[in-house]
Amino acid sequence: MRVPVLAHSRAELIDLLAARRAVGERVALVPTMGALHEGHASLMRVARERVGSGPVVVSIFVNPMQFAAGEDLDRYPRTLEADLKLCEREGVDIVFAPSVDEVYPGGEPLVSVEPGRLATVLEGKTRPGHFRGVLTVVVKLFGLVRPDVAVFGQKDYQQLALIRRMVTDLCLGVDVVGAATQREPDGLALSSRNQFLDGEQRQQAVALSRTLRAAQEVSEYGTEVALDAARAELRQAEGVDLDYLVITATDLTELPAEVPAGTEARILIAARVGTTRLIDNLPITLGTSPEARVTEARKGAS
Ligand code: PAF
């Protein structure tokens, strides 16, 4: 195990990385807001696989710009000591833990990233401005670390899709890797927010992943069948206040009315359990069953 070097300032970070880059090493970045858990640890492992002995940088920064007034910015757990231990266990080289002033020296920036229409749906609908804050801080971190690879969790699927889109649309030249969601044995997706659930809510929260799995199991029969199965599963769930349940294209755009057999898509859910808002998603392959293909062929022939 090696102890990661802790950098609080931009200058320290830039110096540390310059030395590593000078010898031709590739740099990986895992952006986080701290309160690290096994889900984050898996991102660090993916980063390590991508850069071998090159530096893995973990940033820990609770970004005020992505929280609206009244959201849980103050309630967000800050656990730097425990986070550093986890980074050490995972062989992280550099932890960048800047203050708000270090990241936003002049307050909120005059220029920010406009995330476009994909940020107005799903999470963006209930959290206006959230993705502008996320993309702005991510682009700042890219500017400071200048990573070859950046690893994000698939659990925040809309965030991942928007970051991919930003990197493509703004030609940022970073290889964005989406790492698989880590789950508890009963299926609950790991999240820093799970700690806000009491015992009963923790049991109820598993309904989110069950709902997605129910859809996944019958997705070969198409979108409507999959959504019906998911809704039937949800009707049995107690204490779950649904916000959305949707199937979209993998880049989060809308699917066409008729999807060809074998279309890769994504099913996403958001719900409140008690006062805690949880999200989850799974990949889904639509319309591959022989029955679905027959139906499609008939439609084509008529
Ligand atoms: O997913 C998160 O933890 C944050 O949204 C991120 C990407 C670190 C930006 O603050």
Side-chain angles (χ1 to χ4, degrees):
M1 279 200 285
R2 79 191 114 184
V3 181
V5 182
L6 178 59
H8 288 295
S9 72
R10 297 166 176 228
E12 287 168 278
L13 174 75
I14 289 165
D15 271 4
L16 287 164
L17 285 170
R20 306 291 299 257
R21 235 183 242 107
V23 290
E25 289 183 322
R26 279 163 56 77
V27 178
L29 170 66
V30 181
T32 81
M33 296 206 300
L36 303 179
H37 50 65
E38 291 308 311
H40 296 107
S42 76
L43 307 185
M44 296 170 201
R45 276 174 233 144
V46 171
R48 172 61 64 213
E49 274 164 28
R50 293 296 174 123
V51 294
S53 58
V56 170
V57 182
V58 170
S59 62
I60 297 181
F61 178 63
V62 184
N63 174 32
M65 216 183 138
Q66 68 191 72
F67 289 80
E71 283 188 345
D72 49 8
L73 174 63
D74 296 332
R75 203 162 76 118
Y76 205 88
R78 282 139 172 107
T79 56
L80 186 60
E81 288 226 335
D83 292 348
L84 288 172
K85 287 210 174 89
L86 188 138
C87 290
E88 178 176 346
R89 192 194 78 193
E90 293 305 324
V92 167
D93 298 85
I94 300 169
V95 172
F96 178 48
S99 65
V100 173
D101 281 349
E102 194 67 29
V103 177
Y104 298 112
E108 193 161 311
L110 203 54
V111 176
S112 62
V113 180
E114 161 54 49
R117 68 184 162 78
L118 288 183
T120 62
V121 295
L122 308 175
E123 290 307 289
K125 214 168 180 175
T126 44
R127 305 187 70 188
H130 171 67
F131 289 114
R132 186 174 75 92
V134 171
L135 295 192
T136 301
V137 83
V138 168
V139 95
K140 270 174 162 280
L141 291 167
F142 284 1
L144 290 167
V145 177
R146 292 196 288 114
D148 298 281
V149 182
V151 185
F152 298 86
Q154 290 181 8
K155 159 128 187 321
D156 292 303
Y157 194 79
Q158 189 172 12
Q159 166 174 289
L160 174 63
L162 281 163
I163 291 168
R164 284 193 196 288
R165 194 66 201 231
M166 171 176 78
V167 166
T168 304
D169 288 355
L170 304 184
C171 311
L172 299 181
V174 177
D175 181 10
V176 175
V177 179
T181 302
Q182 301 298 300
R183 297 180 181 277
E184 301 281 5
D186 65 2
L188 179 70
L190 296 194
S191 162
S192 310
R193 295 201 166 164
N194 294 350
Q195 61 189 287
F196 300 134
L197 302 169
D198 67 22
E200 192 185 8
Q201 291 163 349
R202 166 65 188 80
Q203 296 308 314
Q204 293 168 338
V206 80
L208 273 78
S209 60
R210 272 207 207 114
T211 298
L212 298 179
R213 290 234 159 86
Q216 210 182 30
E217 272 162 25
V218 296
S219 66
E220 58 190 307
Y221 298 103
T223 316
E224 283 317 312
V225 174
L227 283 175
D228 282 349
R231 288 187 199 113
E233 183 68 44
L234 257 186
R235 276 195 293 277
Q236 296 175 38
E238 274 175 32
V240 177
D241 182 10
L242 181 69
D243 180 358
Y244 60 76
L245 171 70
V246 290
I247 296 179
T248 70
T250 51
D251 64 359
L252 282 191
T253 55
E254 232 175 88
L255 285 165
E258 305 283 330
V259 294
T263 299
E264 298 298 336
R266 204 86 191 178
I267 180 161
L268 303 102
I269 189 170
R272 216 167 261 283
V273 179
T275 55
T276 308
R277 190 184 151 78
L278 298 174
I279 56 173
D280 199 355
N281 67 85
L282 279 179
I284 193 165
T285 311
L286 296 168
T288 52
S289 82
E291 291 91 329
R293 281 203 293 275
V294 169
T295 316
E296 219 175 74
R298 280 202 194 114
K299 268 190 208 149
S302 61

